Amino acid sequence: MTDLFAGTDQPSVDLLGATLWPGWLAASAQKALVADLRDVAKRAPFQRYETPSGARMSVQMTAAGDVGWMTDRSGYRYAERHISGASWPDIPEAILNIWRATSGAARDPDSCLVNFYGEGARMGLHQDRDEANTTWPVVSISLGDDGLFRIGGQNRGDPTVSHWLKSGDVLVLSGAARLAYHGIDRIRFGSSGLLPDGGRLNITLRVAQ
Ligand code: SIN
Ligand code: FE2
């Protein structure tokens, strides 16, 4: 599989301390990942979760690994099972290999969140802080339509920068950027041919527990 990866010796872009490798995944690797995610979603179908305040998220989510991130009226958390009661599928090996090649972490992630953005979906600015130990990095993989990513500092009011994430991009939040506020303001629906019906997939790998 390694020939499908561009490798971390290619030029990276610094986004307020987060490291972006543009086009890290070759087109063939992107297609293989979509097939892997279809298998995950067959066993653990996508859901539109409710936030603690009762708002329905526009992004659809599922997960793989020991635990999967979810939210409902009782709060944000990592759950051991999909809402159906089934355990989460294993994290596909090709996805683990991306973490191993980019994160610099000495252990594998135990959780893989899969986000699907259809037309009009967005994700508000937030920190990833539901993990037991927030010093492990977060690795984020973009597939399909372009997504306008915004990142700031560790306080909500800090200045932000925006960058269009494209299919095949890999982004690592580590060090001071690990707890940076970030979100997706919008997607360019139909900008990529990777998903036949359009939309954007994002895979987020984390050490949750
Ligand atoms: C997230 O922060 O969970 C998703 C980020 C993205 O979709 O790129
Ligand atoms: Fe996040």
Side-chain angles (χ1 to χ4, degrees), residues 113 115 117 123 126 128 140 165 182 184 200 202 204 206:
L113 174 68
N115 293 321
Y117 297 72
M123 189 178 294
H126 65 277
D128 286 11
S140 154
L165 292 178
H182 62 279
I184 295 288
R200 173 175 186 266
N202 170 261
T204 304
R206 306 190 187 106

Side-chain angles (χ1 to χ4, degrees), residues 5-63:
F5 301 154
T8 47
D9 50 355
Q10 77 178 111
S12 61
V13 177
D14 179 282
L15 295 175
L16 297 186
T19 306
L20 170 68
W21 280 285
W24 199 78
L25 291 159
S28 49
Q30 295 173 38
K31 283 197 192 113
L33 284 184
V34 172
D36 283 344
L37 296 181
R38 285 194 201 286
D39 288 343
V40 167
K42 252 184 234 154
R43 290 195 34 204
F46 281 102
Q47 305 291 317
R48 278 184 66 200
Y49 295 128
E50 235 180 320
T51 64
S53 66
R56 189 67 65 181
M57 295 186 82
S58 57
V59 176
Q60 299 175 50
M61 298 180 169
T62 187

Side-chain angles (χ1 to χ4, degrees), residues 75-147:
Y76 302 134
R77 64 186 174 280
Y78 282 93
E80 285 182 3
R81 289 175 183 278
H82 183 261
I83 201 161
S84 65
S87 51
W88 302 103
D90 289 341
I91 303 176
E93 194 66 18
I95 295 177
L96 290 175
N97 283 337
I98 298 168
W99 167 279
R100 291 167 186 153
T102 61
S103 69
R107 57 157 291 180
D108 278 347
D110 57 8
S111 188
C112 172
L113 174 68
V114 185
N115 293 321
F116 176 74
Y117 297 72
E119 193 162 15
R122 60 184 301 279
M123 189 178 294
L125 276 187
H126 65 277
Q127 290 172 297
D128 286 11
R129 55 178 319 147
D130 299 320
E131 299 71 39
N133 175 345
T134 55
T135 62
W136 292 106
V138 170
V139 173
S140 154
I141 303 158
S142 292
L143 296 168
D145 290 342
D146 302 347

